[in-house]
Amino acid sequence: MTLDPRTRQLSLPGGETVLVTDTVGFVRKLPHELVEAFRSTLDSVHLSDLVVHVVDASAPNTDAQIAAVHEVLGEIGAAEVPELVVVNKADKAPEEAKVLAHAIEGSVLISARTGEGIDDLLQVVGDRLRGTDRVVELIVPWSRGDVLAAIHREGEVVGRSDGGESATLQVVLDDVGRARFAEFVTS
């Protein structure tokens, strides 16, 4: 596993590459002003294929913290994005972590400090993402500036290389975007 900090791309075992975006931590009753201040970061969440929700097993009242995250996800229109709960601090609070991980179906138990469970986490992330890949590679001639602008408005460009006659873009698009730009999709 390697993370390229410049592109925020994580290489998973098996060769998959995923875009990683970290958001502001959510707290109970997150002030509206704070949600607005982090809007651009949070807006990318609804485009995500998977929300990796890290829960601190050693923190008090984890149920309320989990509920607060779900509330904020609802407020930003991301309640329907698939979620993977990662229960962290298996080393610091082993009993609490095991109970919490057991209570949340499909969760993964890890210790970020010791590395315990990280291989399992990467495997689960890779498995979950294989079925939801929305990154499309497009080749767009420079003469189609209108299409390039539309792609930037409708999708999230996660990679780009410029050629003499065209730009090659890796873009996160929903089904409507894929259909709209189908003539530019590489085979």
Side-chain angles (χ1 to χ4, degrees):
M1 167 186 83
T2 58
L3 177 64
D4 182 339
R6 294 167 298 151
T7 62
R8 301 176 303 164
Q9 292 185 345
L10 178 69
S11 299
L12 297 175
E16 299 95 349
T17 301
V18 295
L19 176 67
V20 177
T21 302
D22 190 11
T23 65
V24 60
F26 301 140
V27 295
R28 186 172 158 79
K29 299 190 188 246
L30 190 63
H32 182 70
E33 299 82 26
L34 191 57
V35 171
E36 289 305 314
F38 287 97
R39 177 67 60 187
S40 64
T41 300
L42 296 173
D43 278 347
S44 66
V45 175
H46 82 277
L47 293 171
S48 300
D49 292 317
L50 181 66
V51 169
V52 178
H53 176 176
V54 180
V55 178
D56 180 346
S58 70
N61 206 356
T62 53
D63 290 340
Q65 290 180 19
I66 292 169
V69 169
H70 291 157
E71 183 178 329
V72 173
L73 289 172
E75 287 176 16
I76 63 172
E80 300 303 316
V81 176
E83 175 187 37
L84 170 61
V85 175
V86 177
V87 179
N88 190 23
K89 299 199 179 171
D91 58 306
K92 185 174 180 179
E95 288 310 310
E96 294 88 341
K98 287 177 188 171
V99 168
L100 187 57
H102 183 70
I104 302 171
E105 186 177 339
S107 67
V108 177
L109 178 62
I110 69 162
S111 167
R113 187 176 67 78
T114 68
E116 174 189 346
I118 297 297
D119 289 340
D120 293 338
L121 170 61
L122 294 174
Q123 183 66 49
V124 171
V125 168
D127 291 347
R128 296 260 187 111
L129 291 176
R130 272 186 213 94
T132 61
D133 188 16
R134 297 185 300 173
V135 176
V136 178
E137 186 169 85
L138 307 170
I139 297 178
V140 183
W142 291 118
S143 62
R144 295 299 311 267
D146 60 320
V147 173
L148 290 167
I151 289 168
H152 282 275
R153 279 193 310 271
E154 294 185 29
E156 181 179 355
V157 177
V158 296
R160 175 179 173 158
S161 60
D162 297 339
E165 309 255 336
S166 61
T168 301
L169 307 164
Q170 291 79 38
V171 185
V172 177
L173 289 171
D174 60 16
D175 291 338
V176 173
R178 283 179 187 231
R180 178 169 182 199
F181 303 113
E183 69 181 279
F184 302 100
V185 174
T186 63
S187 48

